[in-house]
Amino acid sequence: MPEAAISVRDLRKSYGSVEAVRGISFDVARGEIFGLLGPNGAGKTTTVEILEGYRKRSGGDVSVLGSDPAARDRGLRKRVGIVLQSSGFYPRATVRESVEHMAAVYPAPRDPSETIALVGLEEKRDTRAGKLSGGQRRRLDLALALVGDPELIFLDEPTTGFDPAARRTAWGVVRKLKELGKTVLLTTHYLDEAQSLSDRVAIVKDGLLIAQGPPSELSADRARYRISYRRNGQLAQHETDDPTELLHRLTGEALERGERLEDLSVSRPTLEDVYLDLTSEEPS
Amino acid sequence: MSTGALLWRQFRFERRMFWRNPSAAFFNFALPLIFLFLIASVFGSKTKDLNTLVPGIAGLAVMTTTFTALAFNITFLREQGILKRVRGTPMPPVAYFGGLLANAVANAVVQVALVVVIGHVVYGLTWRHLDVLELAVFTLAGVVAFGSLGIAMSHAIPNFDAAPAYVNAVFLPMIFISGTFYSTSSLPGVLDAAARALPLKHVIDGLRAAIVTGSGIGHHVGALLALVAWSIGGVTLAVRFFRWE
Ligand SMILES: Nc1ncnc2c1ncn2[C@@H]1O[C@H](COP(=O)(O)OP(=O)(O)O)[C@@H](O)[C@H]1O
Ligand SMILES: [Mg+2]
């Protein structure tokens, strides 16, 4: 089996007395899109910035493309693209100049024009970075991270603040990266983003991983089917592990009474239900 | 690309960005020259005064193009997260900061040359005693001392909005006691001692020797040593307290 692109074992990080990350372990396989999903303050940025080599860990082991990022090896940085949660540009450089300038730093960069097209900024190529909208700036972030043609890409909240259309565009770019065989570690507090992009998701809360797996299995884990319908205008809901029998019984009874089951639906809990369930405060 | 080639590329990029920034271009290029023209017109352009003013403005220009400009620049680059972005790429820090410094050095050199030429062409200051080597030595010494102090200063500045207050708190008193605009030979003892302890007076003394009096470097070893000491202090502080974010 090929070595994992990222391997994290019992990672810990304290800021003074604040324990931001309290023992996290996960692996990201090559070519995989891995989502770290969690609310603000969960420890996502702390985790990725340790993997990017920006912060020193307090404990545990990490390996990124076979190296320890804390060693700050230049060779590793040639193979990694980083979109930080927030970072700036030279405001007076145009999109094209910014991307071309960045390309020169890498041994085998992508074509700058093609990279600009990839993130959908062709029409803004001659606009100065300081004049871009928030969403366009985020796309320039992405272009700068991709122009070095990295094997592994970190995306820290890549679509926060996007409108729905811009978010779809960004998702399209991430899917293209997957087609190109890249490995992606993304963080998000948007469920639908984690769900629709990631091969596997890890849910982080208070510095701990509380669930991990493919989005479908994460839901299936606790999955019960939910059957709901209206009777006399009242919403009725049932949860079950096997909807076949319950449905049979419900529809049979309704037929006997000569009623219809208005608004009948059978649904499975989405990742959202799991997420809300897992990250809600436990009743004390 | 080699580190040298990347440094050169960064330098050219910084040049292009510099000229697109009207306020930076104004403070680095126009301001010292405006001081020169204004003070020469207000206080008259007697040769004796010009012999003080021209090297004084040259020294002022060295300080604005390096100390002031770098304190502002680095604070901005840090606050914007540009330094942090660079740190995540394979760009060697030597190439990046080398390009940034080279940009400031280029401004200092052009500015000193402009002042020397204007002093001669516009105000008729003689070039009979001009010592180009000494001019280069003291410009360089000033650039290294003030450049490193500017970077060190940026570490103390909490955010870009506060930068003018911090920089001017250092810059303004220093230019007034260091003989920039007028001779400070009759300065009260305390202020004179302060001026001698600070770097600007030594830069100006060296530049005056190079431009006006023609007394060689041998007569200004003290000034040079003071600048070397400030450079060592500046580089130490700049490196020791460096913050990327
Ligand atoms: N540089 C820092 N210094 C002190 N505390 C920090 C620092 N960075 C993050 N924290 C704290 O660590 C916790 C996790 O933050 P972060 O990793 O940014 O979470 P997320 O990215 O999931 O929102 C938060 O409580 C945050 O306040
Ligand atoms: Mg974060």
Side-chain angles (χ1 to χ4, degrees):
Chain A
M1 198 186 103
E3 186 191 27
I6 297 176
S7 163
V8 177
R9 287 290 166 275
D10 197 30
L11 177 65
R12 291 167 186 278
K13 173 71 182 178
S14 306
Y15 301 105
S17 62
V18 179
E19 279 192 285
V21 173
R22 303 189 287 158
I24 282 184
S25 301
F26 63 89
D27 287 313
V28 180
R30 287 184 195 259
E32 184 176 39
I33 301 189
F34 190 89
L36 275 180
L37 171 66
N40 282 332
K44 305 182 296 295
T45 297
T46 300
T47 303
V48 293
E49 292 202 353
I50 288 169
L51 296 174
E52 292 161 351
Y54 282 109
R55 307 190 193 190
K56 291 208 167 70
R57 58 188 185 268
S58 312
D61 282 312
V62 300
S63 157
V64 173
L65 300 177
S67 316
D68 180 351
R72 297 220 28 94
D73 167 36
R74 184 163 173 236
L76 177 60
R77 290 203 298 282
K78 290 177 181 167
R79 300 163 65 196
V80 170
I82 297 173
V83 172
L84 290 163
Q85 185 165 334
S86 78
S87 56
F89 315 96
Y90 279 78
R92 293 178 184 82
T94 67
V95 167
R96 188 209 305 259
E97 286 169 333
S98 307
V99 176
E100 285 176 350
H101 188 63
M102 186 62 89
V105 173
Y106 291 89
R110 298 174 63 94
D111 177 54
S113 305
E114 186 217 330
T115 310
I116 292 168
L118 179 70
V119 302
L121 275 180
E122 299 104 312
E123 276 161 26
K124 296 287 172 188
R125 59 169 12 121
D126 294 317
T127 303
R128 291 185 182 185
K131 297 258 187 295
L132 296 177
S133 72
Q136 291 162 349
R137 288 170 62 87
R138 214 61 186 129
R139 281 188 259 169
L140 180 52
D141 276 330
L142 196 53
L144 294 179
L146 296 181
V147 73
D149 201 21
E151 294 162 46
L152 167 64
I153 298 130
F154 292 101
L155 306 172
D156 196 359
E157 307 228 1
T159 67
T160 296
F162 277 27
D163 61 40
R167 174 163 303 142
R168 301 273 154 194
T169 314
W171 290 3
V173 177
V174 176
R175 293 199 182 99
K176 264 184 243 168
L177 296 179
K178 165 123 183 124
E179 282 164 29
L180 293 169
K182 309 295 185 189
T183 308
V184 178
L185 174 59
L186 72 91
T187 80
T188 181
H189 61 255
Y190 297 117
L191 284 154
D192 52 344
E193 185 157 293
Q195 196 162 20
S196 73
L197 288 181
S198 316
D199 298 315
R200 284 189 308 131
V201 176
I203 299 178
V204 204
K205 190 200 172 196
D206 294 336
L208 293 170
L209 274 197
I210 52 180
Q212 144 166 225
S216 57
E217 276 178 31
L218 265 187
S219 336
D221 246 10
R222 355 188 99 216
R224 306 191 28 114
Y225 289 82
R226 181 181 292 151
I227 298 175
S228 66
Y229 56 91
R230 270 175 207 289
R231 190 170 171 203
N232 306 328
Q234 297 280 8
L235 184 68
Q237 284 200 27
H238 300 273
E239 289 203 354
T240 175
D241 288 326
D242 175 16
T244 321
E245 197 196 308
L246 180 62
L247 263 182
H248 184 73
R249 188 164 60 76
L250 288 172
T251 51
E253 286 168 5
L255 283 173
E256 272 171 29
R257 292 193 301 270
E259 293 172 5
R260 298 173 52 166
L261 294 176
E262 304 282 351
D263 295 338
L264 174 65
S265 73
V266 181
S267 59
R268 304 219 335 176
T270 60
L271 184 56
E272 176 163 13
D273 300 315
V274 178
Y275 180 53
L276 292 178
D277 192 23
L278 288 174
T279 58
S280 66
E281 295 303 325
E282 252 101 90
S284 50
Chain B
M1 246 188 240
S2 70
T3 301
L6 286 170
L7 190 156
W8 175 245
R9 215 184 140 82
Q10 188 64 35
F11 168 70
R12 285 184 15 234
F13 188 75
E14 297 292 339
R15 288 315 288 165
R16 216 175 330 146
M17 295 307 127
F18 172 77
W19 286 116
R20 283 184 197 173
N21 183 350
S23 80
F26 175 79
F27 277 107
N28 281 277
F29 268 82
L31 196 64
L33 299 181
I34 290 173
F35 271 129
L36 176 61
F37 293 134
L38 279 182
I39 294 170
S41 346
V42 172
F43 294 104
S45 39
K46 288 188 298 248
T47 307
K48 180 172 155 291
D49 297 332
L50 285 169
N51 283 346
T52 301
L53 184 61
V54 168
I57 295 292
L60 172 86
V62 169
M63 190 170 175
T64 53
T65 50
T66 54
F67 178 79
T68 310
L70 285 168
F72 274 76
N73 266 351
I74 305 275
T75 303
F76 179 78
L77 294 168
R78 181 186 300 120
E79 179 167 299
Q80 292 291 307
I82 295 171
L83 293 186
K84 187 170 179 180
R85 185 196 299 284
V86 170
R87 188 166 187 236
T89 72
M91 181 74 169
V94 169
Y96 182 72
F97 290 103
L100 224 61
L101 292 176
N103 177 48
V105 174
N107 283 336
V109 168
V110 168
Q111 198 65 9
V112 168
L114 267 179
V115 172
V116 170
V117 168
I118 290 173
H120 178 67
V121 173
V122 178
Y123 297 106
L125 228 58
T126 174
W127 275 358
R128 213 165 349 119
H129 303 298
L130 187 66
D131 183 338
V132 177
L133 175 70
E134 192 172 17
L135 186 64
V137 166
F138 275 96
T139 302
L140 182 74
V143 160
V144 176
F146 279 124
S148 58
L149 289 168
I151 297 174
M153 183 82 201
S154 80
H155 307 340
I157 301 175
N159 56 63
F160 192 61
D161 289 338
Y166 277 73
V167 168
N168 285 329
V170 175
F171 178 71
L172 292 176
M174 210 187 302
I175 63 171
F176 283 114
I177 63 172
S178 299
T180 312
F181 305 128
Y182 39 77
S183 168
T184 49
S185 50
S186 55
L187 214 58
V190 181
L191 290 183
D192 188 53
R196 281 174 201 288
L198 293 168
L200 183 58
K201 182 178 169 51
H202 301 294
V203 174
I204 293 173
D205 284 350
L207 293 176
R208 187 181 313 107
I211 301 168
V212 178
T213 64
S215 61
I217 298 177
H219 295 95
H220 301 278
V221 175
L224 206 52
L225 285 178
L227 292 174
V228 169
W230 273 105
S231 299
I232 292 170
V235 170
T236 307
L237 291 172
V239 171
R240 172 70 183 76
F241 294 104
F242 191 80
R243 286 183 288 126
W244 290 88
E245 39 182 301

